[in-house]
Amino acid sequence: QETLPLQWARTQNNLANAYYSRIKGDKTENIEKAIFASENALKIFTKEALPTEWATTQNSFAAAYSDRTQRR
């Protein structure tokens, strides 16, 4: 994260999308992992510094969070 923060954040965002779309394993657990990875990406993708990446990640985060609340 500290050495290559943009690459790390992009990887976290890709991981979030992969977990959100994953069909194997427990869906609730996959959603939690997607939320966690999105939150990690948003530590680097700030609205001020990287608005496009921030917005894209926020969108993915919102979808996962919405699914999480519907499952409870």
Side-chain angles (χ1 to χ4, degrees):
Q1 170 186 354
E2 293 176 12
T3 306
L4 300 167
L6 288 179
Q7 291 82 349
W8 178 82
R10 287 182 183 122
T11 300
Q12 291 297 307
N13 191 43
N14 290 338
L15 187 60
N17 291 331
Y19 273 119
Y20 182 71
S21 301
R22 188 173 187 218
I23 58 174
K24 291 192 175 194
D26 181 67
K27 184 64 177 172
T28 301
E29 185 176 323
N30 291 337
I31 289 171
E32 291 301 318
K33 288 179 179 180
I35 289 169
F36 181 75
S38 291
E39 290 173 330
N40 281 337
L42 289 168
K43 293 174 185 175
I44 305 300
F45 294 157
T46 64
K47 185 177 181 180
E48 297 75 24
L50 299 159
T52 301
E53 290 86 348
W54 176 83
T56 301
T57 305
Q58 284 285 355
N59 189 49
S60 300
F61 176 71
Y65 199 84
S66 175
D67 279 359
R68 172 205 233 181
T69 58
Q70 291 176 14
R71 292 182 171 279
R72 290 185 177 193

